Amino acid sequence: MTKMRTVDAAVAILAKEGAIEAFGLPGAAINPFYSAMRAHGGIRHTLARHVEGASHMADGYSRAADGNIGICIGTSGPAGTDMITGLYAAWADSIPMLCITGQAPVAKLHKEDFQAVDIESIAKPVTKMAMTIMEPGQVPGAFQKAFQLMRSGRPGPVLLDLPFDVQMAEIEFDIDAYEPIAVEKPKASRKQLEKALDMLTAAERPLIVAGGGIINAGASAQLVELAELLNVPVIPTLMGWGTIPDDHPLMAGMVGLQTSHRYGNETMLASDFVIGIGNRWANRHTGGLDTYTAGRKFVHIDIEPTQIGRVFSPDFGIASDAGAALDGLIELARERQAAKSLPDYSAWVAECIARKGSLQRKTHFENVPIKPQRVYEEMNKAFGKDTTYVSTIGLSQIAGAQLLHVFGPRKWINAGQAGPLGWTAPAALGVVRGKPDETVVALSGDYDFQFMIEELAVGAQFNLPYIHVVVNNSYLGLIRQSQRGFNMEQNVSLAFENINSPETNGYGVDHVKVAEGLGCKAIRVENPSDLPAAFDKAKALMGEFKVPVVVEVILEKVTNISMGVEINGVNEFEELAERGADAPTSIIALLD
């Protein structure tokens, strides 16, 4: 066996496990690990400007493609605490991500040494495992267990904390003899799936709710195949958006209180049976459970057994990996198709398509300042089916989910459950690392953009090109809208007269100057008719300079985006589409 430092063993394990993309900041307590990465040479490292930014980059990289596990690395103390928001965002959305922190020497941990914080205890609630490794000999096993846990069952992040002396210690280790631990995933039985399919085919108006677990399982193609075999419409959740392309005739729209389609909510209310696969029944999807569940039966398939019944008790629950369940359901459906025993749902599908072609929101506004709906209309025109969108929270994300189009899995990348402001820019950089040479477009409101704006410099330094659309109303728009119920607009305005940039006309921060100061390119748009040219120019600049390009769109200050507290009571604050010209980029054109 070969004698080596524990950090050299750890880096060799990362490479053998296929985790070769790291984001982070070096520091005194983690320098041994950095020296091991340098010696190995097989782990690419992207230097972030903030450790939280590094964690979101690793998260974005993990979400970008099947099998990816991003690595976030930082020193002791505040580097670990900076990672907590990133760990929470990954944990909440079931994303595998490995965080590695340096730590004070073992003998100093109880002495309140400089930057010696108990990061294990802090991180445990938002990880599948958090461990301060006290013994050098435990390092290979801890990394081995971390990868198994990240990939097994419901995926999620892990944090490993490495005391300085543990990093420097030598152990006997043979990477050629190292083997990953087998991944554990539950699999539905044929009997269980037969019962689920019996319940579906007994219904008159069934739906499939497709969750993010299908994307995690790399099973979107199977989801489409099953829907086509059964001829049953699909409702993707926000995290499952893209499992079935938006232009597929069986894509029936999203359901919910905010990130939903009018036709999706109406179709859910008209259904009599729902099979949820790889979804959580998140509250922004369901709204009030009495309304959501009334008049319909439910089957719930999820990889995590304790998730079944957590929100409401289904009529039948199955603990299974989404891919395994879909494979089994496809086999059964083919058998029944051959036996000509599947019901004919063509009338139900036609009804859903008719709703999709009539219940549209208006997007074509000529107003100056620009209404946000027009921005998404022009984005639909400017960016093709290969585009990957990245967003996190706010009216920008909600309206984007209502009006943009997504045409495949992992083409809508969204911190859906945690929704941390500032996530979008660093996550987009991680997505670019995970999808080199593909079109990545980020979407932020002005405050999300400002939260971690320094990370744009990372994109400039490492030539990570993407387009960042910033819809700027100089307001905390979602909070302002939620304050309407309190008859106030308290502490939500970001506007001020910028003495250095009078051209911002009272909108405050000059995002163009800041982006350019960070080494990127930027364009400001104030008239809706200028949006097509701005997007074309952004694409050209991105191609020429290989850096992030910001397209800042100056919006009207106040817009209320469609939302409500029940799926049968979403408030529509703007005009609705009445003819094709009102919503020219809708998936199905309205009849004039």
Side-chain angles (χ1 to χ4, degrees):
M1 290 249 287
T2 304
K3 200 158 193 175
M4 63 179 71
R5 295 179 305 168
T6 63
V7 287
D8 295 306
V11 170
I13 291 169
L14 294 181
K16 193 159 188 178
E17 292 278 4
I20 55 173
E21 203 73 56
F23 308 83
L25 280 78
I30 196 62
N31 274 338
F33 194 90
Y34 272 85
S35 72
M37 286 197 296
R38 179 182 175 89
H40 184 277
I43 310 296
R44 181 165 59 177
H45 180 273
T46 301
L47 178 68
R49 293 299 191 271
H50 190 295
V51 184
E52 182 186 338
S55 70
H56 297 327
M57 291 175 202
D59 183 2
Y61 174 79
S62 293
R63 295 176 195 242
D66 291 349
N68 280 6
I69 294 181
I71 309 163
C72 176
I73 308 172
T75 191
S76 57
T81 56
D82 284 344
M83 293 178 190
I84 296 301
T85 299
L87 286 165
Y88 168 41
W91 174 79
D93 287 341
S94 307
I95 305 300
M97 177 176 75
L98 179 60
C99 285
I100 300 169
T101 51
Q103 181 59 276
V106 171
K108 300 285 189 178
L109 292 181
H110 70 294
K111 296 181 182 292
E112 297 187 1
D113 214 44
F114 178 67
Q115 292 188 338
V117 68
D118 184 1
I119 194 64
E120 175 184 319
S121 297
I122 294 170
K124 273 185 175 177
V126 288
T127 56
K128 293 191 76 174
M129 178 175 82
M131 179 182 181
T132 297
I133 304 173
M134 300 292 202
E135 297 293 337
Q138 287 186 300
V139 168
F143 276 81
Q144 188 180 38
K145 183 65 174 176
F147 279 100
Q148 186 209 26
L149 283 173
M150 285 187 286
R151 293 170 171 147
S152 292
R154 181 179 177 180
V158 166
L159 181 139
L160 295 178
D161 188 39
L162 300 173
F164 190 89
D165 53 336
V166 171
Q167 293 180 63
M168 295 295 291
E170 290 192 337
I171 58 172
E172 297 285 350
F173 182 72
D174 182 359
I175 189 61
D176 292 331
Y178 175 91
E179 292 294 339
I181 303 175
V183 172
E184 298 174 357
K185 295 182 180 180
K187 180 180 178 181
S189 70
R190 181 180 175 92
K191 184 174 182 180
Q192 288 175 315
L193 296 176
E194 282 178 337
K195 180 172 180 176
L197 194 55
D198 286 345
M199 292 174 69
L200 185 153
T201 55
E204 295 180 4
R205 300 177 302 282
L207 291 174
I208 300 169
V209 167
I214 294 173
I215 293 176
N216 283 347
S220 297
Q222 294 97 304
L223 179 276
V224 174
E225 183 178 356
L226 178 66
E228 291 175 345
L229 278 168
L230 299 174
N231 198 28
V232 168
V234 176
I235 298 282
T237 66
L238 182 66
M239 298 308 297
W241 196 11
T243 49
I244 186 168
D246 273 9
D247 58 353
H248 194 288
L250 292 175
M251 198 294 200
M254 286 194 288
V255 169
L257 308 181
Q258 295 177 338
T259 54
S260 61
H261 301 109
R262 295 178 65 215
Y263 49 88
N265 282 350
E266 291 298 323
T267 288
M268 173 60 73
L269 293 166
S271 69
D272 64 355
F273 172 86
V274 176
I275 180 169
I277 304 174
N279 66 308
R280 294 186 296 106
W281 311 116
N283 64 299
R284 290 198 301 168
H285 167 80
T286 65
L289 294 176
D290 289 344
T291 301
Y292 187 83
T293 60
R296 55 197 62 88
K297 291 187 176 181
F298 288 85
V299 170
H300 190 196
I301 300 175
D302 195 84
I303 198 167
E304 172 51 50
T306 63
Q307 199 67 36
I308 296 168
R310 181 185 291 253
V311 178
F312 64 86
S313 295
D315 296 276
F316 183 47
I318 302 172
S320 177
D321 170 70
L326 285 164
D327 288 341
L329 286 168
I330 288 168
E331 182 181 348
L332 292 173
R334 285 176 180 161
E335 292 173 7
R336 298 190 187 191
Q337 183 185 55
K340 301 187 184 304
S341 63
L342 289 176
D344 180 4
Y345 290 119
S346 55
W348 168 233
V349 171
E351 182 184 326
C352 296
I353 292 173
R355 275 189 285 269
K356 193 172 182 179
S358 59
L359 299 175
Q360 298 284 351
R361 295 181 173 111
K362 183 175 178 178
T363 60
H364 196 76
F365 295 93
E366 301 283 1
N367 305 50
V368 178
I370 301 169
K371 293 187 79 65
Q373 292 86 349
R374 179 66 180 272
V375 181
Y376 308 116
E377 176 186 308
E378 298 299 339
M379 289 172 70
N380 285 332
K381 293 177 183 177
F383 302 114
K385 290 186 176 182
D386 63 333
T387 301
T388 296
Y389 290 109
V390 183
S391 192
T392 183
I393 192 65
L395 290 185
S396 54
Q397 174 248 15
I398 292 168
Q402 292 177 6
L403 301 171
L404 291 174
H405 305 315
V406 173
F407 296 99
R410 300 192 187 276
K411 293 188 180 299
W412 172 260
I413 294 181
N414 186 193
Q417 175 70 359
L421 284 166
W423 183 88
T424 307
L429 295 170
V431 172
V432 174
R433 275 291 193 220
K435 292 190 171 193
D437 303 318
E438 295 191 28
T439 301
V440 176
V441 177
L443 172 62
S444 289
D446 41 308
Y447 212 44
D448 172 52
F449 185 60
Q450 289 175 25
F451 251 56
M452 303 208 78
I453 198 169
E454 76 284 345
E455 302 306 321
L456 288 177
V458 178
Q461 179 179 354
F462 292 92
N463 296 120
L464 300 173
Y466 75 99
I467 293 173
H468 203 133
V469 180
V470 179
V471 284
N472 180 10
N473 64 350
S474 198
Y475 250 120
L476 301 183
L478 178 57
I479 306 306
R480 180 210 55 77
Q481 186 167 335
S482 72
Q483 287 184 353
R484 293 169 70 249
F486 296 93
N487 297 313
M488 68 179 187
E489 292 186 13
Q490 183 68 26
N491 303 123
V492 292
S493 176
L494 302 176
F496 63 92
E497 294 292 339
N498 190 325
I499 59 173
N500 299 309
S501 298
E503 63 271 26
T504 60
N505 295 314
Y507 271 59
V509 173
D510 189 333
H511 297 117
V512 171
K513 285 182 178 176
V514 175
E516 289 177 344
L518 291 166
C520 300
K521 292 293 184 179
I523 303 163
R524 180 177 291 121
V525 184
E526 299 182 85
N527 191 299
S529 62
D530 294 333
L531 283 166
F535 289 136
D536 285 344
K537 183 178 180 181
K539 287 184 272 190
L541 289 170
M542 184 175 64
E544 180 180 358
F545 295 102
K546 306 299 182 187
V547 298
V549 179
V550 175
V551 179
E552 179 191 43
V553 185
I554 303 301
L555 299 186
E556 62 184 10
K557 282 187 172 288
V558 174
T559 305
N560 292 313
I561 301 298
S562 305
M563 64 181 72
V565 296
E566 296 282 356
I567 61 171
N568 64 351
V570 171
N571 296 311
E572 301 291 344
F573 297 97
E574 299 287 346
E575 301 171 58
L576 298 174
E578 296 181 353
R579 59 190 191 282
D582 290 338
T585 61
S586 60
I587 287 293
I588 299 178
L590 275 75
L591 298 176
D592 289 339

